[in-house]
Amino acid sequence: MRDVGRHQTTQLACTANGLLVAEMGAAFSCCTPPENSLAEEAANTTAISSTLQSSSPRETARGRLLVFVNPHSGKGKSLQTFRKVVAPLLDSNNLNYDLVITTGRDHAKSVLISHEDLGSFNAILILSGDGLVFEAVNGILGRGDGFKILPTLPMSIIPSGSGNGLLCSVLHASGASLKPKKIHERAVEIATSGRAKSQNVAVFHVETDRGHCACFLSIGWGIMADIDIESEKWRKTLGSNRFTLGGIIRSLKLRTYRGKLSYRHYTSKERKQSEPYHIYDQNCCDRVAKREEKRKDTWPEYHVEEVPELHEPLDESWTVVDDEFISFYAVTLSHISSDGPYAPTAKLEDNRIHLTYILKKDVKNRMEIIKFLTAIENAKHLDLPFVKSVEVSAFRLEPQTGGSYVTVDGEVMDTTNIQVTSTTMHMSVFSAAK
Ligand code: ADP
Ligand code: MG
């Protein structure tokens, strides 16, 4: 047992023959988790009980990954995929890893909030859908050093979830095929390559009645959110086809939602593409140390423009739509699934929000909604006259109908009101560029 630091962690190590043994390991901390009860609880229970390590020695490895596998995501095959396909490739490319098999909601988040040795990893690998990426981003931002770590600890995704909008958007940006088999093959190739490079993806500040978080993909309310949440029960049987069935059912039982939407038009200049870095040249800790940016620790310091807090009134620079809605869907990336792009002009690093909504008064009958949902597959939905779209830098949504879901990156939020603001913050993912 080495003793290189103040903190001790207990981990279950996987020996070459697959046997699980408990091992005491020492952890040097360059990045500081918050000292709260959630962090302590995670360190003592969930994080430890399901952590495995690759058998290749850390000293000779090209780099080190923290892997999260959600065994229940999508059709439930992610653990099998990791063991049979991904782990052998990581081993042959001399990439070391710690594996966390998630046991439920917020497991990954609590591991990332409390991990005392996060800076020693080069990257994070996720086998799940957008939901686990959302958890990972917010786990990192739950740390005292979260704003420093997020841009310097790239994430790689092997699509095992039923919704993989982030990965599809990254692949699309490099011109890769979005046929399911091709997506999987390319994702494995990218995730296990020792020559992987980074790609920045804009993140946005979300304020709800209960607090703050980050998002990178979508904010939904109305029919799109209902479809996403109500079709979760078909995740295992239908995979991503759950959205099609959910869409048909919801269109036939069409609901409307009273609410107030306020937004600010996007006026900032488009952001420059930042230079990619080689993921295995340095670990996260070294990248944090090299960053020259002035330290900022709060969301407002990253906002592209000043906005009031959610509980404060808005001034007349905001456009207000107070009406009966059928759909409200805001996206920040091109793809919400492997279907045609939802926001064809969205770019990975660009921080504009592509907002779309449908008002009840503009729709003649429910067939038009079916037409809207099927048009998304071919990216023709924005041509429909009743679909309003606008690029914004901030919006506030105040639903007045009870019982409606608000989703962020496909996850349901425990809130009525929500405000989202463009920022200069970004996360980092594995680039798909050849
Ligand atoms: P999918 O696309 O299939 O919905 P996601 O990655 O979006 O996959 O994950 C769905 C949710 O599952 C996330 O909110 C995550 O916290 C949760 N989760 C993680 N591990 C487990 C588990 N072992 N059992 C059930 N849910 C889990
Ligand atoms: Mg999901």
Side-chain angles (χ1 to χ4, degrees):
M1 186 172 71
R2 290 164 301 135
D3 189 7
V4 293
R6 200 164 57 83
H7 303 288
Q8 294 278 321
T9 57
T10 308
Q11 294 182 321
L12 290 175
C14 188
T15 62
N17 61 5
L19 215 69
L20 297 184
V21 292
E23 177 191 79
M24 288 295 286
F28 171 71
S29 168
C30 98
C31 302
T32 44
E35 290 183 6
N36 60 21
S37 56
L38 178 61
E40 279 165 27
E41 189 193 324
N44 290 331
T45 56
T46 50
I48 294 160
S49 62
S50 57
T51 302
L52 311 174
Q53 287 181 312
S54 53
S55 48
S56 47
R58 220 193 248 198
E59 293 70 25
T60 57
R62 193 197 297 245
R64 190 164 168 240
L65 292 159
L66 179 56
V67 182
F68 291 98
V69 176
N70 172 359
H72 292 294
S73 66
K75 291 191 170 173
K77 297 212 173 118
S78 50
L79 192 52
Q80 196 185 338
T81 304
F82 183 75
R83 291 215 163 111
K84 292 205 170 141
V85 182
V86 181
L89 286 168
L90 292 176
D91 285 342
S92 62
N93 285 329
N94 208 14
L95 294 169
N96 205 314
Y97 60 85
D98 283 12
L99 168 64
V100 179
I101 301 164
T102 60
T103 53
R105 187 173 280 274
D106 284 345
H107 181 178
K109 186 175 179 179
S110 58
V111 169
L112 286 162
I113 287 180
S114 62
H115 207 299
E116 293 174 333
D117 200 16
L118 205 51
S120 69
F121 291 96
N122 294 79
I124 290 176
L125 169 57
I126 290 177
L127 279 86
S128 191
D130 293 314
L132 207 61
V133 180
F134 175 74
E135 255 191 42
V137 167
N138 285 293
I140 291 172
L141 289 177
R143 304 167 61 93
D145 50 9
F147 284 118
K148 283 192 290 182
I149 301 249
L150 190 66
T152 49
L153 189 58
M155 294 190 200
S156 176
I157 301 131
I158 293 188
S160 320
S162 44
N164 299 292
L166 173 57
L167 176 67
C168 290
S169 301
V170 171
L171 292 177
H172 173 76
S174 72
S177 163
L178 292 187
K179 293 207 172 92
K181 196 160 168 264
K182 294 272 180 209
I183 294 177
H184 197 270
E185 277 170 16
R186 183 74 184 118
V188 170
E189 199 181 350
I190 293 166
T192 56
S193 163
R195 297 191 306 274
K197 283 191 191 171
S198 69
Q199 162 70 56
N200 287 351
V201 171
V203 297
F204 297 76
H205 174 211
V206 178
E207 198 182 344
T208 70
D209 300 331
R210 292 180 178 262
H212 303 258
C213 68
C215 80
F216 55 84
L217 177 64
S218 65
I219 303 95
W221 174 63
I223 192 165
M224 297 287 278
D226 284 1
I227 292 169
D228 201 352
I229 301 309
E230 290 169 4
S231 70
E232 289 215 333
K233 52 182 176 285
W234 302 308
R235 176 186 284 151
K236 276 223 160 56
T237 43
L238 298 179
S240 55
N241 289 331
R242 70 181 169 102
F243 300 114
T244 312
L245 179 61
I248 294 167
I249 293 174
R250 211 6 85 220
S251 309
L252 296 175
K253 290 197 216 160
L254 197 60
R255 288 176 64 194
T256 61
Y257 313 78
R258 180 89 218 173
K260 186 159 126 187
L261 166 67
S262 313
Y263 62 80
R264 292 271 287 269
H265 283 277
Y266 189 90
T267 51
S268 309
K269 284 204 205 93
E270 194 166 308
R271 292 166 83 189
K272 276 201 311 250
Q273 273 280 110
S274 48
E275 280 300 309
Y277 53 80
H278 283 275
I279 287 166
Y280 297 108
D281 275 3
Q282 291 183 324
N283 65 18
C284 169
C285 193
D286 296 335
R287 280 194 283 268
V288 167
K290 286 233 169 106
R291 274 167 74 89
E292 282 158 9
E293 258 175 43
K294 194 175 140 269
R295 195 185 160 141
K296 302 182 209 165
D297 292 319
T298 62
W299 277 115
E301 292 172 274
Y302 290 100
H303 285 173
V304 292
E305 56 194 46
E306 240 175 79
V307 293
E309 288 184 32
L310 180 58
H311 61 91
E312 293 173 335
L314 300 175
D315 65 25
E316 63 288 347
S317 66
W318 294 68
T319 303
V320 178
V321 185
D322 191 345
D323 219 311
E324 199 80 28
F325 289 75
I326 287 175
S327 177
F328 169 87
Y329 208 57
V331 300
T332 60
L333 288 175
S334 60
H335 286 66
I336 52 173
S337 68
S338 56
D339 289 338
Y342 191 89
T345 58
K347 298 197 184 82
L348 298 171
E349 206 171 343
D350 184 33
N351 56 9
R352 75 193 70 206
I353 303 166
H354 300 256
L355 194 153
T356 57
Y357 60 93
I358 300 174
L359 298 178
K360 183 188 174 195
K361 67 183 182 204
D362 296 330
V363 174
K364 288 195 215 80
N365 54 49
R366 59 195 68 187
M367 274 317 290
E368 291 203 312
I369 297 304
I370 294 187
K371 211 192 250 178
F372 163 68
L373 293 171
T374 45
I376 295 173
E377 279 175 38
N378 314 309
K380 298 274 187 233
H381 54 295
L382 300 178
D383 300 340
L384 297 169
F386 54 87
V387 180
K388 302 280 182 278
S389 72
V390 55
E391 290 178 359
V392 307
S393 53
F395 72 83
R396 179 183 292 181
L397 185 66
E398 297 162 282
Q400 279 131 39
T401 301
S404 54
Y405 302 105
V406 173
T407 58
V408 175
D409 294 351
E411 300 295 298
V412 68
M413 301 301 279
D414 184 12
T415 191
T416 304
N417 304 310
I418 187 163
Q419 181 167 300
V420 180
T421 310
S422 298
T423 75
T424 55
M425 198 3 77
H426 60 264
M427 62 190 285
S428 177
V429 297
F430 281 42
S431 168
K434 292 240 183 185

